[in-house]
Amino acid sequence: MTKKKSAIGKDISNIPNRHKPYFVVDTDNKITSYKRSVCIDKVILKARLTVEEIEDLTSMFSYYIEHEPQSNGFTKISYIMDLRERFGVYIKLQPFITGVNAEIQLHSRFTTNLIGNSPIILDILNNPKWFIVRLDVATDYTTPFNTSAYLRRNGNQKQTNYDTSSWAGSTGNPNKTACDSHYDRKVEDELINSNFTNRFEVKLFFKEANNMKLYDLNHNLIVQRLQKEMFIPCLTYSYFYDKQVKTNRGQKEYIDLIRQAKEADNENSIKLLLTTSQWTTFRKHFKECRDDIEQAYIESSHLIYDFLVPSESIESRYAELEALNKSVASVNVDIEAEK
């Protein structure tokens, strides 16, 4: 689909050489999309486990006990298995709580392992009781961070901007469906060896009723939420590049307003300069220039979940089991004493 207000659909020969690496072209030399790489950055799952299932997990890995004082005077006890360094996995169990009493966090060490993961961890995740409460979809671009921008999904979200990052939404809101972040990966980690350093990440949140499982993902729901995101990878090739608007502080270029907003505490610095009609028009144009990250997700969905495939290396499995046996042998925690 040709986007009249972006570079998509145009001839790559009209793009300066220094910017050509931003785009993907077809056999006719037409720009089809921005160069982008999609991955799952983090997944959080929860479950309602029985006492026996919790005991099975605690018998597999070494763990420590966390005591968390509560406002009612009681103490919440959790069994923590921090396997992030080894597997990229963090497990939290609350054996003395009925209901949702278990959480697994799959971090990037796990979710970006596209050559297969630990069969032991995957066996744990195969329990149908685990349901997803958070799924982070990250789209990376070759465009520079300072040439791109995004607008929050709706006017109720709080947006905070820094020099090399922007964040919108509150993870503490129980009714949230998504939160956004846009940041320069190179600033976050100087050791990154990749040209895809400009990241736009959408944290998708689900409730137990959504029944979102790793083995039965509702891709339609994921795509519906991604379609609401408004991210422009490069303002230079958007509607806003040479457009101006008359504000209550004189004639302003749209791009200058966007850059000003990225330096401010939130995007309302634009809204305050525009009439209601101008603000509505601004958001309309921004939406028409947005990148179709949902399409990138669809095109990559057959690859980005390869971390759920067991490792095929027999030698690595034996080494893992040997290390696991050593870990189990070193565990000497008296659970009954904690009770």
Side-chain angles (χ1 to χ4, degrees):
M1 180 181 297
T2 299
K3 293 185 176 182
K4 295 181 180 179
K5 297 185 178 180
S6 75
I8 308 303
K10 297 179 180 178
D11 196 306
I12 190 68
S13 61
N14 298 323
I15 304 296
N17 288 335
R18 70 182 185 277
H19 292 166
K20 287 180 180 178
Y22 297 169
F23 303 103
V24 176
V25 298
D26 60 17
T27 55
D28 295 325
N29 230 24
K30 301 293 185 182
I31 297 173
T32 58
S33 67
Y34 284 94
K35 283 185 179 178
R36 51 199 180 186
S37 175
V38 182
C39 70
I40 303 300
D41 189 54
K42 185 176 182 179
V43 185
I44 300 179
L45 306 97
K46 292 189 176 183
R48 302 169 184 267
L49 301 184
T50 65
V51 174
E52 291 76 15
E53 289 171 321
I54 289 178
E55 289 177 349
D56 285 343
L57 282 175
T58 54
S59 69
M60 296 176 66
F61 306 101
S62 60
Y63 65 95
Y64 64 90
I65 298 175
E66 182 180 84
H67 298 80
E68 183 180 353
Q70 303 296 297
S71 58
N72 57 12
F74 290 91
T75 298
K76 184 184 292 183
I77 296 176
S78 301
Y79 295 164
I80 307 296
M81 284 166 270
D82 194 342
L83 311 172
R84 283 175 291 186
E85 183 176 349
R86 185 170 163 200
F87 297 122
V89 175
Y90 180 90
I91 304 175
K92 181 177 183 179
L93 307 173
Q94 296 175 323
F96 311 118
I97 293 180
T98 57
V100 178
N101 57 2
E103 177 179 306
I104 286 184
Q105 298 179 13
L106 307 178
H107 293 265
S108 58
R109 185 183 181 91
F110 187 91
T111 58
T112 58
N113 184 1
L114 303 184
I115 59 173
N117 259 309
S118 161
I120 299 172
I121 299 297
L122 294 177
D123 282 345
I124 295 173
L125 294 173
N126 281 334
N127 187 335
K129 291 186 176 181
W130 292 106
F131 57 91
I132 299 173
V133 295
R134 174 174 159 182
L135 179 74
D136 294 1
V137 180
T139 309
D140 300 327
Y141 299 84
T142 58
T143 56
F145 170 84
N146 59 6
T147 68
S148 53
Y150 84 100
L151 288 185
R152 53 190 175 175
R153 295 160 61 92
N154 58 64
N156 295 325
Q157 284 186 316
K158 179 181 178 181
Q159 180 171 330
T160 304
N161 300 297
Y162 302 96
D163 290 340
T164 57
S165 64
S166 296
W167 309 82
S170 171
T171 56
N173 180 0
N175 297 317
K176 61 190 173 298
T177 58
C179 292
D180 309 324
S181 59
H182 173 217
Y183 57 92
D184 189 333
R185 295 177 66 207
K186 199 70 173 178
V187 175
E188 297 284 326
D189 184 359
E190 294 181 356
L191 299 179
I192 288 179
N193 185 22
S194 172
N195 293 326
F196 294 86
T197 58
N198 184 17
R199 171 166 289 188
F200 180 65
E201 186 171 311
V202 185
K203 300 172 178 63
L204 300 172
F205 297 91
F206 306 98
K207 296 183 181 296
E208 185 175 3
N210 293 131
N211 200 32
M212 186 74 74
K213 307 293 180 70
L214 278 175
Y215 59 84
D216 187 22
L217 287 163
N218 186 343
H219 293 292
N220 288 334
L221 181 57
I222 294 172
V223 167
Q224 287 173 13
R225 294 189 181 179
L226 292 179
Q227 286 176 327
K228 296 180 180 179
E229 302 298 332
M230 294 195 290
F231 177 73
I232 300 177
C234 187
L235 292 167
T236 303
Y237 298 101
S238 72
Y239 167 86
F240 300 101
Y241 183 67
D242 56 0
K243 300 296 180 181
Q244 295 185 344
V245 61
K246 183 178 180 181
T247 73
N248 55 24
R249 294 186 183 177
Q251 197 81 3
K252 298 284 186 180
E253 291 188 358
Y254 270 125
I255 280 191
D256 287 344
L257 291 179
I258 295 172
R259 288 172 178 162
Q260 175 184 331
K262 288 179 67 174
E263 296 172 357
D265 291 334
N266 57 66
E267 70 177 27
N268 285 335
S269 59
I270 298 179
K271 188 175 182 179
L272 295 175
L273 294 174
L274 305 178
T275 66
T276 301
S277 175
Q278 288 172 333
W279 173 247
T280 301
T281 302
F282 174 81
R283 288 187 67 89
K284 175 187 175 183
H285 290 318
F286 204 104
K287 186 174 183 179
E288 291 175 348
C289 294
R290 66 177 288 274
D291 190 36
D292 53 353
I293 59 173
E294 68 281 357
Q295 185 63 31
Y297 173 84
I298 292 171
E299 294 170 354
S300 305
S301 59
H302 66 294
L303 296 174
I304 58 179
Y305 293 103
D306 276 0
F307 62 83
L308 296 174
V309 177
S311 172
E312 296 298 329
S313 171
I314 300 298
E315 292 183 1
S316 68
R317 292 192 188 190
Y318 279 128
E320 181 178 295
L321 287 171
E322 183 180 355
L324 180 62
N325 289 331
K326 290 181 180 179
S327 296
V328 173
S330 66
V331 175
N332 187 18
V333 179
D334 189 349
I335 299 177
E336 292 300 321
E338 285 298 326
K339 292 182 179 179

